[in-house]
Structures are given as structure tokens and as C-alpha cells.
Amino acid sequence: MSKEITARAVDYSQWYNDLVLKGGLADYSAVKGCMVIKPYGFALWENMRDVLDKMFKDTGHQNAYFPLLIPKSFLSKEAAHVEGFAKECAVVTHYRLKNDPNGGGVVVDPEAKLEEELIIRPTSETIIWNTYKDWIQSYRDLPLLINQWANVVRWEMRTRLFLRTAEFLWQEGHTAHATEAEAVEEAQKMMEVYATFAENYLALPVIRGTKSESERFAGAVDTYCIEALMQDGKALQAGTSHFLGQNFAKAFDVQFTGKDNKLEYVWATSWGVSTRLVGALVMAHSDDEGLVMPPRVAPIQVVIVPIYKGDDQKKVLDERIGALVQELKQAGIRVKYDDNDNSRPGWKFAEYELKGVPVRLAIGPRDLENGVAEVARRDTREKANLPLEGLAARIQDLLEEIQHNLYQKALHFQETHVTQVDDFETFQKVLDEKGGFVSAPWDGTAETEEKIKELTKATIRCIPLNNPKEGGKDMLTGKPSAERVLFARAY
RNA sequence: CGGGAUGUAGCGUAGUCCGGUCAUCGCGCCUGGUUUGGGACCAGGAGGUCGCAAGUUCGAAUCUUGCCAUCCCGACCA
């Protein structure tokens, strides 16, 4: 069949591509490095977005929108920041096209060169802090808690659907605070929001931690992160939250007058998650039959497939199933009744399995006689006949059970893929043969971290929160180590 | 951005070395009919600038050059 997907064991990368493309989440586009998010994939993102948006608002944030284009000079104001992003910025140099005098279509009008070139935002710290300067004068203006939903562009050399594309969708929170402690607390709080979201909605267990200096966001004092583990044993950074100190306040001269009438620089945070979460979701739960969607964010939670011979039976089914659809909708369930007569039940079964719909109901005349529906769950692929009477409530429970089951499965995988090692030889062996996180003592230097990366391709994913301080020896250098950190090969 | 591979109808493909009724086959699509409890069947039909652009040639899917896109492996990164 044309919809067949490559098995994980055969080619994991191809399996992932097959799921995204054949599952209808996204397509390649005519533009290098950019993808088209298709309706089914976008519906998934919208569900994620809606939940996160509510969580942000519940923690006191407001949405705003800042420009896509940023004056080039802004980027250079914060030294570490420009260093981090300069290499991947798209630049707008002209503002007009004209007909090619040689008849070759349109060309850039050389007379329309911009005085100051504009960069397409790779992130918005600079334009936002330039704006905050005008918004903040007094401690009464603080804290300033803003989020924006936006697209950003980072000119990546190698792209992968959802995981790394030149343009992607995300949200970026940018907050300003009167004290350092309050800003740190905000950064930690938002990391916790992300972790809660990943675990409760994406059924994706994550490890909370901080980044080592070399993995830190360009311009941050501290980067908090949530790290997830994919089925191939590679780690994936699922969200980051940065304590920016006063770096941007100083770069953009954002000061406020305190109660004591003294001028002070504000303390800042920024935090973001992106459409990359879609990739994380796909790789964490799906199987060789196709996508597996966690019910809480699944675009379609329940699909109903009618089984009938002839129009008469169809009519009877339409009526009964129509009532059931209403019942399910009233229970807040996202349901689709697929009564398309052009494809047969078997085809639909396979199609919705590929799309990862958590629950499928098949209902035919036989079922109506018995007052039941055949209920199939995507996660375990089990089927059962359940009474139509009170079905909505049963389905609600079932969706929660599936959500929970997916989380438990992923959690078990994660827990069994954190390996403690103390020597470098074992470290390499675990990475090659088992994958996952490797917890190993590290001497705390960037040099050692770099050396380990060169030798093994593994990086420090995070220093877990509340990490026990245990004396030891660095597995590579033998130098004193204050604590274990988590290494992994990563996306 | 370096190395390797690929690009023929919506999808998957034959043909490319050796230029000349070669645009092949399957799925899908449209029409009609029979069907419908795990990817239906019959009959008829539509659909292709052979990735794009130059060039070589009497003649190019096929040869040459450039470009575009995708995949895999590196370096870089969410």
C-alpha cells in the first residue's frame, strides 16, 4: 500500500518523516528549509497553543505583538546575543522589485536599498527591550509580563520537519522585574509551566534542569530547560526559560525608579516553546502503524465509522450515530463521524490509525440490535464492545486512561534510560548500545564538556534541579567533580 | 556549508549507462453499477512543462552546464 510507513527498527529517521508526511501533519514546501503545516498538524498545534495560552494568562501574562523585522543595529547591542544569532539571520536589504530591463521577470531594484538593513527576527529580545525602555519608568510599571505568539526565522543548514526548520512558530515570553529574586522565580515558574504542560497534556515526561554555560541561551545568565527522551534514545530540548539578569536592560538602557527614588536596571526573563513540540510528541508516542496522539491534544479524539449494506441501513445508522455525536460533543469530546461512502471501513480503520486518533468506534446494524458499539483504542490496539447507553461517559474515562497510559509508558522508558556511570569507557558503551541519558560526574569545565562532545557526540543536556552534590572524579579527566550531570546525544 | 544519493501524473515506480512510436505499470482520482464487520470488484474515462533553465543534436526523460528542492552523513543550532 502506498501509505505504508518505514518501521522504526529499519530506519528511525525515515519512520519519523513518513509519520509526519503520511499522517498529514506537514508537507515540504518550495522554499528551502521551510515546511507547510497542514490542517491536521496545525489543529494539533492549535490545541497545544490554546492550553499554553491559558496557562500563561493564568500566571498573569498578557499577549502582545512585536515586529517581524528588526533593525540590524539592535542585534549588536548585547554582545553574547549577537554572537549567538548572527550566523543564522536572514537579512532584508531592499524594499522594492522592478521589471527586469532584460526581460527576465522581476529583479531587485538597486535604487531601493535600505539605509539600515533589517533582520528577520530569530528571537525578539532586542526589539522588545528597545520597546520596554519606553514602557518602564517606575517600580509601579513592574513586573511587566508579556508573551507573544509569533514566527521566527533561523537560517539552518540542515532541517528536519518540525524539529528544525528555517521558519517556525513559537511563543516567546519576555518579562521585566524589579528584583533579581523575582526574575529568577519567574524563569523557574515558567519552566514549571512547560514541564506541567508537557507531562499533563503531551503525556511527555521531562527532566527539569539548567543548562551548562556552553549550552546556555545567548545573552542569558541562567537557562532552565525541560528535556525529553525520544524512542531512539536521543534527547530533545522541549522548552527553555531564561533568567537574563540585567544584560538586556543594560544593553537597551532600561531603568526604573525604585521606592527609594534610585535608578536601577530591571531584571529580565524570556522563555519559549515552539512547533518543535509537535515533533517531540510524534517521536515519543507513535509506533510502526502510525501516529499516536495523546487524547488531550488530539485534533480528533474519537472517530466513528459506520458499517452498513445499502442506503436503508445507512439511514438508520445516521440517525442513531447523529444522536451519539451530539452526546459526545456535549461531553466536550472532539468527535468525527466519517460517513464518507467512497471508502470502506477497513480503509478508514487503517487511515485513522495512521493519524493516531485515540479512540475509534465502529457501529453497524448488528451493534444497534445489541445496543453496543465496537470501541478500539489506538494505544493498545484493543477492541471491546461497549453499551451505547452511557457511552459518552465511558469514552471520557477511556480517553483519560489512554492519556495516562501513554504517559506511564513514556515515563517507564525514560526511567529505564537514565544510566549512572563513573568511567569514560562505560559512558561510551552506554551511549552506543543503550542510548538515553547518562548521569556522570563532570569537572564543571567547558573544555571537558567540549572534549566529551568531540569524542562521543554527546552533550550535557542539563544539570537536574535539586541535583545532589556528591564529590567524585570527572569520568574523563579524573579531576574533582562536584556533581553528576545528564549527558545524551540530542536532536 | 562540505560529502553522498535522489527528483518521471496526487503517491509509488519502469525507462536514463547505449539519444529515435517510451512516456511504463500499480495505487489513487472521475462516471456508472455491484459492494461495505480490517486497506472491495467490474466496465469506461481523465490526468504528465519527464524538478527548472540554458546548451549539444535533424531529434533529449536519456548527453553537457548551471540552478532549485528533498533525503542520508558531517560541522552549526530550538
Side-chain angles (χ1 to χ4, degrees):
Chain A
M1 280 288 125
S2 61
K3 284 282 180 86
E4 204 157 289
I5 58 178
T6 307
R8 278 167 293 190
V10 172
D11 185 341
Y12 191 85
S13 296
Q14 194 54 49
W15 167 76
Y16 174 77
N17 287 332
D18 285 352
L19 290 188
V20 171
L21 296 169
K22 293 174 182 172
L25 298 178
D27 260 338
Y28 294 116
S29 76
V31 186
K32 192 189 185 90
C34 297
M35 66 174 173
V36 175
I37 303 177
K38 297 178 76 176
Y40 190 61
F42 202 78
L44 176 60
W45 172 242
E46 282 177 315
N47 288 340
M48 294 184 186
R49 197 189 59 189
D50 290 349
V51 173
L52 282 167
D53 198 65
K54 178 157 192 316
M55 292 175 95
F56 298 155
K57 285 170 181 163
D58 286 347
T59 45
H61 303 85
Q62 290 182 292
N63 285 332
Y65 187 78
F66 295 85
L68 170 72
L69 301 173
I70 299 175
K72 195 180 69 180
S73 60
F74 281 24
L75 199 71
S76 49
K77 290 193 178 181
E78 211 291 325
H81 192 67
V82 65
E83 171 74 22
F85 285 107
K87 284 171 292 184
E88 46 188 5
C89 284
V91 186
V92 178
T93 57
H94 293 75
Y95 57 85
R96 191 163 64 209
L97 298 172
K98 64 173 188 179
N99 286 323
D100 184 356
N102 303 320
V106 290
V107 293
V108 172
D109 185 345
E111 287 176 19
K113 194 163 162 51
L114 287 169
E115 277 294 302
E116 178 176 4
E117 288 157 347
L118 299 167
I119 62 160
I120 300 175
R121 62 180 166 218
T123 178
S124 301
E125 272 78 5
T126 59
I127 184 77
I128 284 177
W129 282 93
N130 182 71
T131 309
Y132 281 4
K133 177 187 161 82
D134 296 334
W135 290 3
I136 298 168
Q137 273 121 44
S138 149
Y139 71 93
R140 296 177 201 277
D141 297 323
L142 299 172
L144 181 58
L145 306 173
I146 302 284
N147 174 64
Q148 87 164 341
W149 290 95
N151 57 340
V152 289
V153 169
R154 296 181 186 175
W155 213 261
E156 299 292 347
M157 291 302 134
R158 189 175 168 193
T159 55
R160 304 197 62 188
L161 294 165
F162 286 111
L163 298 176
R164 177 165 295 109
T165 47
E167 179 189 10
F168 57 93
L169 305 182
W170 77 346
Q171 57 71 217
E172 45 181 326
H174 297 273
T175 68
H177 306 265
T179 67
E180 175 174 14
E182 191 185 304
V184 168
E185 189 191 331
E186 165 80 5
Q188 290 172 345
K189 182 201 286 176
M190 297 322 289
M191 176 202 63
E192 193 52 43
V193 164
Y194 288 155
T196 302
F197 171 72
E199 293 179 343
N200 291 356
Y201 289 86
L202 307 183
L204 188 66
V206 293
I207 292 177
R208 300 152 172 80
T210 55
K211 287 292 186 187
S212 66
E213 190 180 346
S214 45
E215 294 280 327
R216 201 172 284 159
F217 174 74
V221 174
D222 246 321
T223 288
Y224 298 89
C225 63
I226 56 171
E227 293 284 326
L229 196 57
M230 303 295 103
Q231 292 182 57
D232 62 347
K234 286 170 82 172
L236 185 137
Q237 178 174 304
T240 50
S241 178
H242 317 289
F243 167 58
L244 301 172
Q246 295 176 309
N247 292 345
F248 284 91
K250 285 177 178 166
F252 288 88
D253 192 30
V254 185
Q255 301 189 70
F256 70 100
T257 310
K259 275 184 187 166
D260 55 4
N261 200 31
K262 279 187 188 155
L263 268 183
E264 268 189 84
Y265 288 108
V266 302
W267 298 85
T269 80
S270 69
W271 27 274
V273 295
S274 71
T275 37
R276 182 178 232 205
L277 287 176
V278 173
L281 182 80
V282 169
M283 283 204 291
H285 302 306
S286 302
D287 60 25
D288 288 348
E289 312 301 321
L291 297 167
V292 176
M293 297 278 179
R296 290 193 188 168
V297 291
I300 303 168
Q301 294 173 310
V302 175
V303 64
I304 306 177
V305 176
I307 290 156
Y308 56 90
K309 294 183 170 72
D311 287 345
D312 292 348
Q313 288 191 354
K314 174 78 168 30
K315 202 175 272 177
V316 176
L317 283 170
D318 279 346
E319 201 167 305
R320 183 61 188 91
I321 292 174
L324 178 60
V325 166
Q326 283 314 309
E327 201 186 327
L328 290 169
K329 278 187 179 166
Q330 268 160 25
I333 295 168
R334 294 186 286 275
V335 57
K336 172 176 176 173
Y337 175 36
D338 187 351
D339 66 342
N340 183 349
D341 192 48
N342 294 325
S343 29
R344 299 168 78 256
W347 191 90
K348 292 176 185 174
F349 293 172
E351 183 66 13
Y352 291 108
E353 275 162 20
L354 171 61
K355 284 185 161 332
V357 175
V359 172
R360 180 189 70 229
L361 305 183
I363 302 177
R366 208 166 70 202
D367 301 304
L368 288 192
E369 265 177 44
N370 299 328
V372 298
E374 183 194 80
V375 180
R377 51 189 282 184
R378 178 65 181 84
D379 61 336
T380 60
R381 313 196 73 209
E382 289 166 339
K383 291 186 207 175
N385 287 316
L386 297 181
L388 283 167
E389 188 69 36
L391 189 59
R394 293 288 298 273
I395 298 281
Q396 268 179 321
D397 291 346
L398 180 58
L399 289 170
E400 281 305 300
E401 193 186 322
I402 292 170
Q403 180 81 28
H404 184 254
N405 179 45
L406 288 176
Y407 178 74
Q408 286 304 323
K409 227 157 72 177
L411 182 62
H412 177 256
F413 183 80
Q414 189 206 68
E415 283 173 344
T416 53
H417 286 78
V418 180
T419 313
Q420 278 212 7
V421 311
D422 292 289
D423 66 282
F424 191 64
E425 203 179 313
T426 314
F427 179 79
Q428 284 179 301
K429 204 173 148 198
V430 170
L431 280 175
D432 288 338
E433 291 170 11
K434 184 180 173 187
F437 293 110
V438 186
S439 175
W442 170 52
D443 65 18
T445 67
E447 294 74 49
T448 303
E449 184 181 358
E450 179 61 29
K451 191 82 200 250
I452 291 168
K453 185 180 171 186
E454 268 174 40
L455 293 170
T456 66
K457 311 279 180 227
T459 50
I460 296 177
R461 299 322 303 156
C462 72
I463 302 153
L465 289 193
N466 309 318
N467 206 28
K469 299 286 175 197
E470 52 171 275
K473 285 183 182 168
D474 184 285
M475 61 166 174
L476 185 66
T477 64
K479 289 179 189 165
S481 154
E483 58 185 333
R484 290 174 180 279
V485 298
L486 290 183
F487 290 87
R489 293 193 178 126
Y491 278 96

